[in-house]
Amino acid sequence: MNISTGTKGRTAQSHTSTATPTGINGTMNDKNTAVSKGGISPEWVFLLVSVVFGYIFVFVTPPFQAPDEYHHMFRAYHVSMGGLVSSKAGGISGAQLPVNLGNTVINVSTNLSQHPNNKQKLSDLGKVMHIPLEPEKTVFYFFPNTARYAPVMYAPQALGIFVGRLLHIAPIFIMYLGRITNLIVWIALIYIAIVATPVYKWLFVLLALTPMSLFLGASLSADAFTNAVAFVFAALIFKAAFGGGAEVSTRELALIFLAAVMLSLSKQVYVPVLLIFLMIPVSKFGSLKRYVAIVASFFVVNAAMACSWFFMSGDLLVPLREKLDISPQRQLYSITHHPLDFIIAMKNTLFKYSSDVLTDFIGKLGWLDTELPAYIHVTFWGLLIFTALCENSSDIAVKIKDKAIAAVAFVSTTFLIVLSQYLTWTEVDKNIIDGLTGRYFIPVATALFLLFYNNKFHINTKRPLFGILILSYLAVIMISTIAAMITRYYL
């Protein structure tokens, strides 16, 4: 394995609710227990499935077999040392780190990624357990695809890594500690989101527990934090827009601002998701003057945060596929002077990769080399659409205006995702866009599915049978996923 460069995505080859919270951190009443109004609470189904199967994922997934996981390890370790901004050496972004971090990567999972016939050797796991950290022996490691990520995205992993450093344990155990703390924070944030939202509680559960989403949550990937913060932000907006109460409280606004800033710092392509803030009606702010002031400050603050980090880390932007003819500057020139070529590339990508993106969204694990049974993808998409159509409340109406905002947020985010891959991952003059994968759309999925909300189709999700069926289905899906992972990596 070449630990100086990473692999990313795919190349051309290859207001009534089911469980009403009294507040985000407040105590829950008797209706918000594991059994609510005769049904099983969505948040407790999520908690049970995510804890049980999340920890299994942590240890079943071989080391560094989530997308770019060893680069995430390097960046998280750097953050645990207080490294807020990465540096450059020889024109490539990275940081000075213990040499045995890389030695562990090289020796533990040799030639596993993109080689589905190769298996994880337990003897290799045993050997790297005896590789000491030796933090005083350092070397400059390259991790160009994660070097530009803001440190907030690595706070959960860095916490576990910091503890491991204090304990002077081997790098392989530090990696597992980072996975565990990342999972804990991911679970906590998603749980908060499910409790907070007055609509689509079961949809939030299903979106959070796709095999891909849980797999990322149980890894060192920075995507786990980004996805969780996006869910929290959407839930807080839905609560403010569709929940009860005359006005949005100062505390609620502070939480919305905090979640938005975290999302703005995570990945700038998700900044358009913040447009759903406009779903909150003017009446929830008390006056038009206050509404204008808060909306203006919201977008100014988040634009400032996103731009500040973009320019602070701008020097760290380097070609991620150095052996190919990739140039963001030349691609931008092509877009501005030959826009039709870019439109044709987007059209070609849509026709060639749309089914793969849908598959990846549900779950194509490892480095996009671990297939899941086809029935998982078909049934999960069917259940997502069914739930989006039928999980509703008679006293909550999502207006056309709200759906229009959600649509603009989704389309704008999709455009930025595609544009980023065209600029940084696609060869100049190529008529198809490389690197597009389904997991990039997890943070904006709540906005997409809000378009399905209606009051015509309805199913009583508070019935015990509904919760039991969802729990049983998710258990089957997770067991099947674990079986696929064990087969892929060990058998």
Side-chain angles (χ1 to χ4, degrees):
M1 180 183 292
N2 180 356
I3 65 172
S4 64
T5 60
T7 301
K8 177 184 177 187
R10 172 183 291 101
T11 64
Q13 299 96 320
S14 20
H15 316 321
T16 298
S17 64
T18 56
T20 306
T22 58
I24 298 302
N25 295 314
T27 58
M28 292 179 286
N29 57 33
D30 293 339
K31 298 178 182 178
N32 249 353
T33 58
V35 178
S36 175
K37 294 185 178 180
I40 299 177
S41 170
E43 55 266 31
W44 284 101
V45 169
F46 167 77
L47 200 60
L48 177 61
V49 174
S50 62
V51 169
V52 171
F53 293 102
Y55 279 99
I56 294 175
F57 278 24
V58 165
F59 296 104
V60 167
T61 306
F64 312 111
Q65 289 308 300
D68 300 318
E69 192 172 21
Y70 63 93
H71 279 183
H72 288 298
M73 173 72 171
F74 292 163
R75 178 62 175 135
Y77 193 100
H78 186 222
V79 171
S80 79
M81 298 168 58
L84 300 182
V85 182
S86 303
S87 53
K88 291 180 76 174
I92 301 182
S93 308
Q96 199 78 15
L97 300 171
V99 65
N100 277 345
L101 288 182
N103 289 336
T104 298
V105 172
I106 291 172
N107 289 287
V108 71
S109 302
T110 305
N111 293 324
L112 269 186
S113 62
Q114 306 302 322
H115 296 88
N117 292 326
N118 293 348
K119 306 299 178 181
Q120 174 65 60
K121 296 178 182 178
L122 297 182
S123 59
D124 288 344
L125 275 173
K127 289 176 184 177
V128 297
M129 290 179 184
H130 299 290
I131 297 179
L133 180 60
E134 297 181 334
E136 70 282 358
K137 300 178 181 179
T138 65
V139 69
F140 194 92
Y141 277 123
F142 301 138
F143 44 94
N145 54 333
T146 60
R148 295 189 70 233
Y149 289 168
V152 66
M153 300 172 68
Y154 291 99
Q157 307 92 310
L159 175 61
I161 291 171
F162 181 75
V163 171
R165 290 171 52 214
L166 291 179
L167 296 175
H168 302 287
I169 58 178
I172 190 65
F173 296 121
I174 290 177
M175 183 217 69
Y176 282 115
L177 275 178
R179 280 184 176 181
I180 289 171
T181 52
N182 202 27
L183 177 64
I184 290 172
V185 172
W186 180 83
I187 290 174
L189 290 175
I190 297 294
Y191 181 87
I192 289 171
I194 296 169
V195 171
T197 181
V199 295
Y200 277 165
K201 287 180 181 287
W202 283 112
L203 185 67
F204 270 67
V205 171
L206 292 171
L207 288 172
L209 291 177
T210 62
M212 176 58 82
S213 179
L214 183 57
F215 177 75
L216 293 172
S219 73
L220 290 172
S221 176
D223 290 342
F225 183 81
T226 303
N227 296 344
V229 168
F231 275 53
V232 171
F233 176 72
L236 292 174
I237 294 299
F238 292 170
K239 183 174 185 287
F242 310 125
E247 293 185 17
V248 181
S249 69
T250 302
R251 177 174 173 273
E252 288 175 320
L253 282 173
L255 290 172
I256 289 172
F257 268 69
L258 178 61
V261 167
M262 295 299 100
L263 189 58
S264 297
L265 288 173
S266 293
K267 288 186 179 180
Q268 282 71 48
V269 295
Y270 297 123
V271 168
V273 174
L274 304 184
L275 289 172
I276 66 173
F277 185 82
L278 297 175
M279 290 181 183
I280 306 175
V282 177
S283 60
K284 290 294 186 78
F285 293 90
S287 68
L288 179 61
K289 182 179 179 180
R290 185 168 182 260
Y291 170 80
V292 172
I294 291 175
V295 169
S297 62
F298 175 82
F299 287 108
V300 168
V301 166
N302 283 284
M305 296 299 292
C307 291
S308 296
W309 180 255
F310 179 83
F311 289 112
M312 282 179 62
S313 61
D315 186 54
L316 300 173
L317 179 61
V318 296
L320 301 178
R321 305 166 74 188
E322 65 275 7
K323 295 181 180 180
L324 301 178
D325 184 19
I326 293 176
S327 170
Q329 294 79 13
R330 290 164 62 194
Q331 294 287 59
L332 275 175
Y333 179 87
S334 176
I335 291 173
T336 55
H337 290 75
H338 308 284
L340 185 59
D341 291 345
F342 180 53
I343 293 172
I344 291 173
M346 288 194 293
K347 183 262 296 181
N348 293 341
T349 304
L350 175 64
F351 282 112
K352 183 169 183 178
Y353 286 147
S354 58
S355 62
D356 291 329
V357 168
L358 294 175
T359 298
D360 297 346
F361 181 88
I362 301 299
K364 192 173 184 182
L365 309 185
W367 288 62
L368 298 181
D369 59 5
T370 303
E371 302 277 358
L372 300 182
Y375 83 87
I376 291 181
H377 302 284
V378 174
T379 59
F380 220 114
W381 272 113
L383 185 57
L384 284 172
I385 294 172
F386 173 81
T387 304
L389 286 171
C390 299
E391 186 186 7
N392 50 53
S393 178
S394 59
D395 57 350
I396 294 180
V398 178
K399 300 178 181 178
I400 296 296
K401 179 209 75 170
D402 302 321
K403 292 188 177 184
I405 293 170
V408 171
F410 177 77
V411 171
S412 301
T413 302
T414 298
F415 175 77
L416 288 187
I417 291 171
V418 172
L419 178 63
S420 70
Q421 299 307 108
Y422 185 75
L423 296 177
T424 64
W425 201 251
T426 303
E427 291 183 81
V428 174
D429 296 328
K430 193 172 184 179
N431 65 355
I432 196 165
I433 300 170
D434 291 338
L436 200 62
T437 182
R439 72 177 186 273
Y440 298 156
F441 297 91
I442 294 175
V444 74
T446 52
L448 170 64
F449 280 102
L450 192 67
L451 302 179
F452 291 82
Y453 190 92
N454 68 92
N455 295 105
K456 295 180 180 179
F457 306 104
H458 178 73
I459 186 171
N460 187 359
T461 59
K462 298 174 185 177
R463 290 181 178 177
L465 180 61
F466 186 84
I468 291 171
L469 288 175
I470 294 292
L471 177 59
S472 302
Y473 173 78
L474 288 172
V476 170
I477 293 299
M478 294 305 165
I479 291 171
S480 297
T481 299
I482 291 168
M485 292 171 66
I486 291 174
T487 301
R488 160 66 179 90
Y489 291 115
Y490 301 100
L491 299 180

